[in-house]
């Protein structure tokens, strides 16, 4: 097996929000990044990519542009030898043993799917760009299917959508796709009398539990005003591709169920032999170091990170926390190590239709001010000027033109050449 050395002595596993920012902030010091994709996904804008407000390419940032001084290897880590200070990685160019002086583990999280009957076979996730594009295409294709139906009950089943999980991802995705479907109806006169049904299912007593209660209640009222059914204190019992059965006995005829009920740490962590807590995350000390492994650090959604400015409680898996962890880690790698601490400045969420909620420095905004604040924050946090300009261009165009309703499910699946 060929051996190579990490650029600058730093090897980063994962090119998501945490790993990508570590490599970016290291700058000319250099790093080698091993990741499956050559881009970083800005997850908070994924709902707008699903609805077509944003071009999907504009919610991802190419890592080679974001981290111009880093070496990028597309592939995945297969094993870790901390004694030899090397990681075996399978890449597009071959399998290598990569030596390092410092190892940063930022492998992120994957969708947490529960063993609900039928969920794996018929449910849809909402974690990456492929999920967003697939969901958009599904909504538009079901509009076409419903328009062709002679049976009104089957048409209504086509136009029924169940979202399980009422955190940021579930609420924002439902709001954006609800906007898309209603905007498209003007082109489907046959569907004017067919009821659309949007159902949000949440196990907790309220939606958007992360936000102050008044903002969560406003979000619920806004969604209900738009005809969304909200089932709180309820879980999914089963889904067969035609009907969702809920824990309260409710039955919802629908062909689409979107699962956004949380994430779990990347299972690759266990394969690498890293120490894990009871939730599968890598526990780290206040300096973000992995106990018992010299010169190994971990951060982001895959790590259990204690926050010194939050009483030592563990950080939630959010982009803003991953960014602050990355900043502290780079300072610790390049200077005297200090404990990580971050006091969250606020939280934001969009609800579609120029409505949103925001809690910034204790100031609570809702409606248009909340929506505008949310967009402003995401624009600020999005890396590279060129990506920000592309997003602003998309948002500006959406103010003057109606949504595009082209369904592109064949994208990426070209027809075979026939002799």
């Amino acid at each position: 097996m060929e051996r190579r050395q990490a650029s600058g002595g730093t090897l980063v596993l994962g090119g998501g929000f945490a790993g990508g920012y570590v490599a970016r902030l290291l700058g000319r010091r250099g790093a080698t990044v091993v990741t499956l994709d050559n881009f970083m996904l800005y997850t908070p804008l994924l709902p707008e990519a699903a609805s077509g407000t944003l071009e999907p390419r504009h919610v991802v940032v190419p890592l080679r542009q974001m981290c111009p001084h880093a070496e990028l290897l597309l592939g995945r880590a297969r094993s870790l030898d901390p004694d030899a200070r090397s990681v075996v990685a399978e890449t597009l160019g071959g399998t290598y043993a990569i030596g390092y002086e410092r190892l940063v583990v930022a492998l992120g999280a994957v969708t947490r799917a529960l063993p609900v009957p039928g969920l794996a076979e018929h449910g849809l996730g909402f974690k990456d760009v492929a999920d967003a594009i697939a969901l958009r295409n599904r909504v538009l294709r079901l509009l076409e299917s419903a328009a062709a139906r002679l049976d009104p009950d089957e048409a209504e089943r086509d136009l029924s959508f169940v979202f399980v999980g009422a955190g940021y991802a579930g609420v924002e995705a439902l709001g954006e796709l609800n906007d898309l479907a209603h905007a498209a109806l003007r082109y489907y006169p046959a569907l004017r009398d067919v009821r659309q049904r949007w159902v949000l299912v949440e196990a907790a007593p309220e939606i958007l539990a992360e936000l102050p209660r008044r903002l969560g209640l406003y979000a619920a009222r806004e969604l209900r005003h738009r005809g969304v059914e909200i089932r709180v204190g309820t879980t999914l019992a089963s889904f067969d591709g035609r009907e969702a059965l809920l824990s309260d006995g409710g039955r919802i005829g629908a062909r689409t169920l979107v699962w956004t009920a949380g994430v779990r740490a990347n299972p690759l962590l266990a394969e690498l032999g890293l120490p894990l807590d009871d939730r599968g995350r890598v526990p780290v000390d206040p300096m973000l170091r992995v106990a018992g492994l010299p010169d190994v650090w971990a951060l982001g959604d895959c790590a259990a990170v204690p926050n010194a400015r939050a009483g030592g409680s563990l950080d939630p898996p959010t982009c803003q926390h991953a960014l602050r962890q990355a900043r502290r880690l780079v300072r610790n790698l390049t200077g005297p190590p200090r404990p990580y601490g971050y006091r969250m400045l606020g939280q934001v969420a969009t609800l579609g239709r120029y409505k949103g909620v925001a809690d910034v420095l204790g100031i609570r905004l809702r409606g248009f001010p909340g929506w505008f604040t949310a967009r402003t924050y995401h624009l600020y946090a999005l890396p590279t000027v060129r990506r920000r300009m592309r997003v602003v261009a998309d948002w500006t165009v959406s103010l003057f033109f109606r949504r595009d309703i082209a369904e592109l499910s064949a994208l990426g699946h070209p027809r075979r050449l026939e002799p």
Side-chain angles (χ1 to χ4, degrees), residues 314-326:
L314 301 181
D315 270 357
T318 70
C319 291
Q320 63 174 303
H321 285 90
L323 172 56
R324 268 65 183 195
Q325 292 167 21

Side-chain angles (χ1 to χ4, degrees), residues 369-397:
W371 171 85
F372 184 80
T373 301
R375 280 198 162 183
T376 301
Y377 171 77
H378 292 320
L379 193 64
Y380 161 77
L382 189 66
T384 78
V385 172
R386 72 179 71 191
R387 268 301 176 268
R388 292 172 188 164
M389 295 304 296
R390 288 179 185 272
V391 167
V392 168
D394 284 348
W395 283 341
T396 303
V397 167

Side-chain angles (χ1 to χ4, degrees), residues 37-81:
D37 301 304
N38 75 341
F39 58 80
M40 185 209 80
L41 168 64
Y42 188 77
T43 310
L45 293 180
L46 198 58
E48 294 194 53
S51 69
T53 303
L54 292 177
E55 162 66 39
R57 291 180 298 114
H58 296 167
V59 303
V60 300
V61 183
L63 286 170
R64 293 188 182 276
Q65 295 175 356
M66 178 179 171
C67 316
H69 303 291
E71 177 188 29
L72 185 65
L73 297 176
L74 293 192
R76 67 173 70 237
R78 285 304 185 190
S79 65
L80 164 64
D81 186 344

Side-chain angles (χ1 to χ4, degrees), residues 119-411:
L119 176 62
E121 294 81 5
H122 306 291
L124 300 175
F126 194 74
K127 188 69 172 66
D128 55 33
V129 176
D131 292 337
I133 295 173
L135 185 54
R136 169 184 166 79
N137 286 333
R138 186 180 184 89
V139 170
L140 294 173
R141 196 161 190 83
L142 285 171
L143 284 168
E144 299 291 349
S145 173
R149 299 279 188 187
L150 296 178
D151 185 340
D153 292 334
E154 289 301 307
E156 184 174 316
R157 194 184 299 271
D158 283 338
L159 300 187
S160 296
F161 306 92
V162 180
F163 285 71
V164 180
Y168 292 115
V171 169
E172 292 185 325
L174 184 150
E176 286 290 335
L177 287 161
N178 179 276
D179 278 359
L180 170 65
H182 280 91
L185 279 180
R186 64 181 293 116
Y187 303 104
Y188 295 86
L191 300 179
R192 287 174 183 164
D193 297 325
V194 178
R195 182 176 71 139
Q196 283 193 35
R197 192 176 184 188
W198 296 79
V199 184
L200 183 60
V201 178
E202 171 57 42
E206 298 174 349
I207 71 170
L208 292 175
E210 304 92 337
L211 287 171
R213 188 167 185 268
R214 288 177 58 188
L215 293 181
L217 292 175
Y218 167 80
R221 288 196 302 271
E222 175 63 26
L223 292 176
R224 287 194 175 104
H225 179 71
R226 292 161 58 178
V228 177
E229 301 173 38
I230 299 178
R231 307 283 189 95
V232 293
T234 307
T235 58
L236 177 68
S238 67
F239 180 60
D240 62 3
R242 287 180 54 83
E243 183 179 71
L245 176 62
L246 306 182
S247 60
D248 61 3
R251 294 178 178 273
I252 303 170
R255 289 188 170 84
T256 302
L257 183 139
V258 184
W259 180 268
T260 63
V263 297
R264 61 187 177 92
N266 195 321
L268 180 57
L269 299 168
E271 297 180 28
L272 295 178
L274 291 163
L276 304 177
D277 66 6
D278 58 352
R279 296 180 59 181
R281 300 169 299 182
V282 180
V284 299
D285 68 11
M287 260 64 73
L288 304 174
R289 297 174 301 205
V290 180
L293 298 178
D295 295 314
V296 178
W297 286 262
L299 75 164
D301 293 356
C302 75
V305 180
N307 189 331
R309 298 191 65 184
S313 62
L314 301 181
D315 270 357
T318 70
C319 291
Q320 63 174 303
H321 285 90
L323 172 56
R324 268 65 183 195
Q325 292 167 21
R327 288 176 177 168
R328 170 43 54 195
L329 177 57
V330 170
R331 294 190 187 105
N332 287 353
L333 292 175
T334 57
R338 294 181 180 177
Y340 160 76
Y342 169 61
R343 190 180 303 280
M344 192 164 56
L345 301 179
Q347 302 175 85
V348 297
T350 58
L351 307 173
R353 297 190 185 180
Y354 307 106
K355 297 292 179 66
V357 290
D359 176 24
V360 182
L361 296 174
I363 301 173
R364 296 170 185 176
L365 305 170
R366 59 188 188 179
F368 181 83
W371 171 85
F372 184 80
T373 301
R375 280 198 162 183
T376 301
Y377 171 77
H378 292 320
L379 193 64
Y380 161 77
L382 189 66
T384 78
V385 172
R386 72 179 71 191
R387 268 301 176 268
R388 292 172 188 164
M389 295 304 296
R390 288 179 185 272
V391 167
V392 168
D394 284 348
W395 283 341
T396 303
V397 167
S398 70
L399 293 174
F400 299 101
F401 298 95
R402 296 191 178 100
R403 293 175 185 263
D404 192 306
I405 59 170
E407 184 267 316
L408 300 173
S409 59
L411 197 66

